[in-house]
Amino acid sequence: MDGRQKDCYTQSPDTPAVRHRKTCTTNEGIEGFSQPSRETSNGASKRIPKRGGQLSSPSRGDHVPVYTLVLVLVLSVCTRFYKITEPPHVCWDETHFGKMGSYYINRTFFFDVHPPLGKMLIGLAGYLTGYDGTFPFIKPGDKYEHHNYWGMRAFCAALGSCLPPFSFLIVLELSQSTPAALIAASLLIFDTGCITLSQYILLDPILMFFIMGSVLCMVRFNTHRLRPFSFSWWFWLLLTGVCLSGSLGVKFVGLFVILLVGINTVFDLWRLLGDLSLSLLDFGKHLFARVFGLIMLPLFLYTTIFAVHFIILNRSGPGDGFFSSAFQSRLIGNNLHNASMPEYLAYGSVITVKNLRIAGGYLHSHWHLYPEGVGAPQQQVTAYLHKDYNNLWLVKRLDNSDGPPELVRHGDIIRLEHKETTRNLHSHFHEAPLTKKHLQVTGYGINGSGDVNDLWQVEVCGGKKGDLVKVLRSKVRFLHRSTGCVLCSSGKTLPKWGWEQVEVTCSPYVKETPNTQWNIEDHINPKLPNISLSVLKPTFLEVLWESHIVMIRGNSGLKPKDNEMNSKPWHWPINYQGLRFSGVNETEYRVYLLGNPVIWWLNLLSLGLFVLMLTVASLAKQRGVKMEGMRKLHCHTLMEGGGMLLLGWLLHYLPFYIMGRILYYHHYFPAMLFSSMLTGITLDVFLQNLHLLFSPSISHHLMRGGQFLLLLGFIYSFYLFHPLSYGMRGPLAQDPASSMTGLRWMDSWEF
């Protein structure tokens, strides 16, 4: 593929009298190949030739091989919608996200560790397709029966069907090679893992739709850089911001694609800053446009998502207990909604005390004692997650005396007497049941009598001596006077003898944490005037902030349980182990989430090949090797297009190595999208440069043969492994009579 050179000129729009001489290269090759226009330092447009010798225009990105794109879309839709209603029972995490969709339809408040957009869209899809929100989604395997569930599955499948076309368009923009784009799209069309994730009521296809949408819009925006502030320029910039807000609005891992777009934007602005033909005023306009489109607009839309979320979910539900008492007062049906009670804590009040950590519970006691060998055999004090009469405590003075109403202040020393059993909240130098470095908390004494170990000092967090304790709003700590420790909900679940309630301890670590912070929720004192709790309701920004704190703590609290399988990040690229979506034994309808091994292992090999090719190209460029025509073009594609995709893969994969939460195989799929697109570019550039090793005629046949074998391999491997996605019955893979006999290539695969 030798080039023919000729002299040609372009005229700068800024200096019409000056013409810029350059060398144009004409090459024979595949029809329709074009390279993005480049901008010189003074803003002039350099137009890179198409294969076939035609100069491309700045709008060259608008010309897409339509028939090929339609074929990709049709295959994608067919593979995602085939058997969409099978199996007709709850599979894997449908029990969570289907139930959350029902909560939106019923306007019932719930808690989840992810932002709300994905669940809202699932609920909307169900509502629009006739689902009434009455199916309970209790556990995997429950039959849907007459309930209309297909709409929620179809919505997820529709978004999942967009991934291969998005991949096709992204790679076409980055490489201007239809074969590269077709390879990348085929990797996703025929991947059994992507198909399985797209066919069920899950957040993953929604998340991946917005991630790929963000990348596509970013790439399209980059192609319009020579037409700044035009309609199409603004359109792709703002659409990038919309997709970014969608990515973050579904899961927090959307931050990774935001980082990718941010890095691209920084380099783009740095390039503009170096363009001396651009005034600082014009650069300021570029900067403001990107700040508006990629920061302000996404933040506004992201905040709007939560505003809609809070407006819809206005009824008390299973998520109440994860949030503060002030938050709960917003919810219709909660006992705090439209309630009235004294505003400030006073002696003689009967109260409930709620811990501020997630699922910290209410301070609670009952008649049962700690068993022999577990600290002192005194009355148990626990944290209970539900409202109960045994959560009530009486606030008493230091000397147990009665008197006129007096408000409790920061620094006061009080006793807390359990209303039902009349025992005092007590601590001493005995080990806590589970947290051995903490001290035991018990109920001690009778009818208010006790000892000095019943004394607790009230401390308003962030307050000073004399500050009042406000119901719902004040964060309070209780410091034990005798030992110096602080009342704490450890978050650990007690054994059967403790009724599997949460352990309460006295922590010697007095640093302020949610575990040691409490607030007064219920407050009964007939001697004090009541106020409506509506005046204490938090503002929208306070609710927004609290919801994020709760979500972040909830995410960090997702630790592996005993005997629970925890996937490792190094497992994922090698397709080491999948996930059971449905069924276990021979009589059940079995679905197993596992990527097509031929595709996944090819992606892994292509990563190594890309690094090798990029190294060779970089060394050649650094050594001044003359590269003309297609070689120069391929070098540019590897470094810029391939480099961006490699960065996307790294950003969506490496952070999982430092995450402390439990991880699952499906967390890798956003990274797999970037890996597949990179494979398309890598293999296409490799095949087109076989002429470096073979004669032109042989290399041409090898390129065509390689492309054909790749597509044939994708299709045949999909034929072999498609039962993983579309369902298996009968004998398991290790049985010679199984349809999957011989396909269990790794012992860790469990189908």
Side-chain angles (χ1 to χ4, degrees):
M1 294 189 289
D2 297 325
R4 301 190 304 274
Q5 297 183 349
K6 63 178 181 178
D7 289 342
C8 60
Y9 295 84
T10 59
Q11 184 168 301
S12 169
D14 299 320
T15 54
V18 180
R19 294 193 304 166
H20 301 272
R21 186 177 185 274
K22 69 181 184 70
T23 300
C24 292
T25 307
T26 305
N27 295 278
E28 300 297 332
I30 300 173
E31 287 293 322
F33 187 101
S34 64
Q35 172 67 4
S37 301
R38 309 286 175 74
E39 194 175 19
T40 62
S41 61
N42 65 358
S45 172
K46 283 187 177 181
R47 295 179 295 161
I48 307 299
K50 292 183 183 179
R51 293 185 188 180
Q54 298 175 356
L55 288 174
S56 65
S57 68
S59 60
R60 58 97 193 101
D62 298 331
H63 302 294
V64 173
V66 176
Y67 295 117
T68 308
L69 179 60
V70 170
L71 175 64
V72 167
L73 179 60
V74 169
L75 288 174
S76 183
V77 170
C78 290
T79 53
R80 270 66 182 170
F81 277 85
Y82 178 63
K83 299 180 74 172
I84 190 68
T85 58
E86 296 293 327
H89 61 246
V90 178
C91 294
W92 195 50
D93 270 359
E94 284 188 326
T95 188
H96 299 303
F97 303 120
K99 182 186 298 182
M100 293 170 187
S102 298
Y103 285 144
Y104 278 107
I105 294 173
N106 297 315
R107 306 193 68 176
T108 303
F109 187 77
F110 68 94
F111 164 70
D112 185 43
V113 297
H114 306 300
L117 179 60
K119 284 94 65 178
M120 275 200 291
L121 293 176
I122 288 172
L124 178 62
Y127 177 76
L128 294 177
T129 54
Y131 172 61
D132 59 6
T134 58
F135 186 73
F137 287 96
I138 295 174
K139 64 183 186 302
D142 288 350
K143 299 288 186 182
Y144 283 116
E145 297 176 341
H146 64 279
H147 293 276
N148 195 349
Y149 65 95
W150 66 268
M152 292 182 284
R153 283 190 179 176
F155 169 72
C156 293
L159 296 190
S161 299
C162 295
L163 301 180
F166 282 2
S167 171
F168 180 89
L169 293 172
I170 291 169
V171 174
L172 186 65
E173 287 288 351
L174 294 176
S175 68
Q176 291 303 301
S177 169
T178 300
L182 188 57
I183 291 171
S186 299
L187 289 167
L188 300 184
I189 290 172
F190 299 112
D191 179 57
T192 50
C194 285
I195 292 171
T196 304
L197 271 186
S198 299
Q199 287 195 310
Y200 298 93
I201 306 170
L202 302 171
L203 297 184
D204 300 271
I206 308 173
L207 171 68
M208 292 190 289
F209 170 84
F210 283 114
I211 288 176
M212 291 291 277
S214 300
V215 177
L216 175 60
C217 294
M218 175 189 73
V219 170
R220 290 289 292 158
F221 172 73
N222 288 342
T223 64
H224 288 75
R225 62 176 51 157
L226 296 183
R227 292 179 288 177
F229 308 108
S230 64
F231 173 80
S232 56
W233 187 90
W234 276 110
F235 175 80
W236 290 111
L237 173 65
L238 298 180
L239 195 56
T240 303
V242 171
C243 290
L244 290 177
S245 64
S247 301
L248 187 60
V250 177
K251 282 189 175 183
F252 284 129
V253 294
L255 285 168
F256 301 149
V257 75
I258 290 176
L259 185 57
L260 176 65
V261 173
I263 292 172
N264 174 81
T265 303
V266 168
F267 278 101
D268 188 29
L269 289 171
W270 185 252
R271 177 189 61 80
L272 289 172
L273 188 61
D275 185 356
L276 300 182
S277 67
L278 198 68
S279 69
L280 289 179
L281 179 61
D282 289 336
F283 176 79
K285 293 178 181 178
H286 277 276
L287 176 62
F288 175 77
R290 286 159 175 79
V291 169
F292 174 78
L294 302 178
I295 298 178
M296 296 171 65
L297 177 64
L299 279 177
F300 171 76
L301 294 176
Y302 181 73
T303 305
T304 303
I305 290 169
F306 277 88
V308 175
H309 167 73
F310 293 133
I311 290 172
I312 295 175
L313 302 183
N314 64 348
R315 296 175 182 167
S316 179
D320 294 16
F322 292 93
F323 289 81
S324 69
S325 306
F327 186 101
Q328 294 179 44
S329 68
R330 304 170 50 257
L331 302 173
I332 299 172
N334 190 284
N335 68 309
L336 297 176
H337 182 69
N338 288 338
S340 60
M341 61 181 66
E343 183 177 6
Y344 297 105
L345 180 64
Y347 294 101
S349 296
V350 176
I351 62 173
T352 59
V353 185
K354 187 177 185 295
N355 189 256
L356 295 189
R357 72 175 298 277
I358 294 176
Y362 296 92
L363 188 64
H364 177 95
S365 189
H366 40 236
W367 289 104
H368 303 278
L369 306 182
Y370 286 101
E372 197 68 35
V374 181
Q378 297 175 6
Q379 185 170 296
Q380 295 177 18
V381 172
T382 64
Y384 190 45
L385 299 179
H386 306 282
K387 296 180 184 295
D388 186 83
Y389 186 77
N390 280 328
N391 298 342
L392 296 176
W393 299 82
L394 175 63
V395 182
K396 304 186 73 172
R397 290 181 171 85
L398 173 64
D399 57 3
N400 276 334
S401 62
D402 295 325
E406 181 184 349
L407 299 180
V408 177
R409 299 177 181 274
H410 177 99
D412 283 5
I413 298 173
I414 67 170
R415 296 178 189 266
L416 284 177
E417 179 184 304
H418 189 240
K419 183 68 174 173
E420 171 67 12
T421 63
T422 69
R423 299 190 189 277
N424 296 325
L425 186 69
H426 178 96
S427 187
H428 44 221
F429 288 104
H430 287 266
E431 282 185 348
L434 303 179
T435 311
K436 299 303 182 182
K437 293 184 178 180
H438 290 196
L439 303 182
Q440 182 188 34
V441 175
T442 68
Y444 179 75
I446 191 71
N447 292 326
S449 64
D451 59 22
V452 293
N453 286 331
D454 304 337
L455 303 181
W456 301 83
Q457 183 172 339
V458 177
E459 180 184 278
V460 179
C461 298
K464 59 184 183 298
K465 188 171 181 62
D467 284 353
L468 299 175
V469 179
K470 183 178 288 190
V471 172
L472 299 185
R473 304 301 292 273
S474 293
K475 297 179 182 179
V476 178
R477 300 203 309 163
F478 298 97
L479 276 68
H480 192 241
R481 292 290 293 171
S482 298
T483 62
C485 59
V486 61
L487 190 66
C488 173
S489 172
S490 71
K492 298 178 181 178
T493 302
L494 293 168
K496 296 285 186 183
W497 56 257
W499 303 93
E500 297 182 337
Q501 295 174 10
V502 179
E503 178 192 39
V504 168
T505 67
C506 200
S507 170
Y509 310 107
V510 295
K511 182 180 178 181
E512 289 187 5
T513 66
N515 298 63
T516 61
Q517 293 175 332
W518 307 77
N519 74 278
I520 311 303
E521 184 167 295
D522 296 289
H523 184 208
I524 305 168
N525 194 322
K527 298 180 180 180
L528 295 176
N530 291 339
I531 65 163
S532 172
L533 293 186
S534 60
V535 302
L536 300 180
K537 286 182 181 178
T539 64
F540 169 70
L541 291 179
E542 289 174 325
V543 169
L544 182 66
W545 176 257
E546 180 179 347
S547 64
H548 279 77
I549 296 297
V550 172
M551 285 190 293
I552 292 169
R553 290 175 184 166
N555 255 309
S556 62
L558 292 175
K559 306 296 184 184
K561 299 176 183 177
D562 293 339
N563 302 319
E564 184 177 8
M565 182 183 66
N566 184 22
S567 183
K568 305 293 184 184
W570 68 265
H571 291 172
W572 303 339
I574 64 174
N575 218 21
Y576 179 77
Q577 192 171 42
L579 271 172
R580 286 197 185 101
F581 261 48
S582 173
V584 177
N585 57 49
E586 298 181 4
T587 61
E588 295 176 321
Y589 188 97
R590 302 188 303 279
V591 176
Y592 190 69
L593 175 65
L594 184 74
N596 183 330
V598 172
I599 289 174
W600 282 54
W601 293 341
L602 179 64
N603 281 347
L604 191 60
L605 291 173
S606 296
L607 278 171
L609 179 61
F610 171 78
V611 172
L612 178 62
M613 292 169 59
L614 185 63
T615 302
V616 171
S618 300
L619 289 174
K621 184 177 180 180
Q622 188 69 16
R623 293 296 299 169
V625 175
K626 188 176 182 180
M627 290 185 289
E628 297 178 345
M630 297 310 299
R631 293 184 192 176
K632 186 175 183 179
L633 193 57
H634 290 151
C635 182
H636 175 269
T637 299
L638 284 175
M639 290 183 172
E640 294 200 6
M644 188 272 287
L645 294 175
L646 178 65
L647 178 62
W649 177 76
L650 292 172
L651 289 175
H652 285 81
Y653 176 50
L654 293 184
F656 288 100
Y657 280 93
I658 59 175
M659 288 188 185
R661 57 155 290 171
I662 187 171
L663 300 174
Y664 297 102
Y665 172 64
H666 70 100
H667 289 146
Y668 181 69
F669 277 82
M672 184 266 182
L673 300 176
F674 288 93
S675 177
S676 297
M677 291 188 288
L678 182 59
T679 296
I681 287 180
T682 301
L683 295 182
D684 180 64
V685 171
F686 176 76
L687 291 173
Q688 291 198 48
N689 282 277
L690 288 175
H691 67 276
L692 297 175
L693 302 175
F694 304 98
S695 65
S697 60
I698 294 177
S699 64
H700 178 76
H701 288 95
L702 287 176
M703 180 182 70
R704 293 302 187 196
Q707 292 169 347
F708 175 76
L709 288 177
L710 283 172
L711 293 177
L712 183 64
F714 301 156
I715 295 171
Y716 183 65
S717 61
F718 170 71
Y719 167 75
L720 291 178
F721 288 96
H722 77 274
L724 296 176
S725 297
Y726 299 132
M728 302 168 282
R729 292 189 186 273
L732 303 179
Q734 55 267 33
D735 192 316
S738 171
S739 61
M740 302 298 290
T741 298
L743 296 178
R744 192 165 176 256
W745 297 346
M746 296 183 71
D747 292 337
S748 52
W749 295 350
E750 300 171 316
F751 52 84

